[in-house]
Amino acid sequence: ILKRKRIAVIPDLSYGMTKQLLVQVKNGALDLAVAGFPSRMPPGLEAVSLFSDFMFAVLPSEHPAARGKRRLRFSDLASDRLHWFRRSDNPPFYDMAEEVFSADEYRPARLREPEDTNLLLAAVAAGRGIAFLPSSFAAVHRPGVISRRLAPDIEKRFAVELRLVRRADEKRPVVLAAWTALAAELRKRPRIKR
């Protein structure tokens, strides 16, 4: 997108949890971030809504549900421990997810989700639970881990709103140009209807 718009930047792509990405933007370690459903935008940051991103299941490669099934139901994962975050990390998304779980009578045992995606994927690869991640993380691969989409009826209800975030006082023309171009292009993606 940026090359096509002739914006002279070299993107440095980083993956992380929403809370980490917002701190990095605020502290200047990142200029922009695509973050999932920020609950409380920290002072000094600005965000624009982009699109909804469905969640998918992340399983150990040897998980029984990984064999032969392309789409999963929560019942396929009922006996697995779920790596899950604290409500205080993102109350709106947490509450939405808990409503989806409750409607499907999904009540997994919980493990505290590591704050780093690499640690989370390592735990899953080691067979210490499963996780759910937005489909935008599908490009992140790790040996010993497999991802599976959820059944369409679940996928429509279990999605995260992604937003493009920057510092509100940003003045650098190249960052502002990148912000404008990315927001315009990424907003064109199809939105998941709930």
Side-chain angles (χ1 to χ4, degrees):
I1 297 168
L2 300 174
K3 186 176 181 180
R4 189 168 18 104
K5 299 282 185 180
R6 298 178 190 214
I7 299 171
V9 296
I10 299 172
D12 180 12
L13 300 178
S14 300
Y15 291 92
M17 303 296 188
T18 294
K19 192 174 182 179
Q20 294 170 319
L21 294 173
L22 296 179
V23 168
Q24 290 175 337
V25 171
K26 187 170 177 69
N27 294 339
L30 295 174
D31 296 321
L32 305 172
V34 175
F37 208 92
S39 56
R40 280 177 247 122
M41 190 63 61
L45 295 181
E46 183 177 327
V48 61
S49 184
L50 298 173
F51 57 89
S52 290
D53 196 10
F54 64 84
M55 303 296 283
F56 67 91
V58 180
L59 316 168
S61 298
E62 300 302 316
H63 192 286
R67 293 186 209 118
K69 281 194 157 190
R70 290 284 176 213
R71 298 279 194 142
L72 302 179
R73 301 208 64 79
F74 289 133
S75 58
D76 297 318
L77 310 171
S79 63
D80 297 297
R81 294 178 301 162
L82 174 65
H83 288 277
W84 203 237
F85 60 97
R86 294 178 307 216
R87 184 179 186 277
S88 61
D89 290 343
N90 193 336
F93 180 70
Y94 184 96
D95 293 345
M96 179 276 298
E98 291 299 323
E99 285 180 24
V100 172
F101 294 167
S102 179
D104 286 51
E105 298 181 4
Y106 179 55
R107 295 178 188 88
R110 310 289 173 106
L111 298 167
R112 174 90 183 267
E113 184 179 73
E115 290 193 14
D116 180 88
T117 306
N118 290 319
L119 294 176
L120 173 64
L121 294 175
V124 171
R128 294 189 307 267
I130 65 164
F132 295 113
L133 289 174
S135 64
S136 54
F137 277 77
V140 179
H141 295 285
R142 181 175 182 93
V145 173
I146 193 162
S147 62
R148 288 289 182 259
R149 288 183 70 172
L150 297 168
D153 64 305
I154 297 172
E155 201 170 78
K156 286 180 184 174
R157 295 177 286 128
F158 192 28
V160 61
E161 184 71 21
L162 294 182
R163 297 177 185 168
L164 183 63
V165 182
R166 71 173 172 93
R167 284 179 299 286
D169 63 354
E170 182 60 67
K171 303 222 183 317
R172 293 173 293 164
V174 69
V175 175
L176 294 174
W179 160 269
T180 301
L182 288 170
E185 285 294 317
L186 293 174
R187 282 179 153 174
K188 294 178 183 176
R189 287 191 54 154
R191 299 176 77 80
I192 295 172
K193 299 203 188 302
R194 291 203 180 145

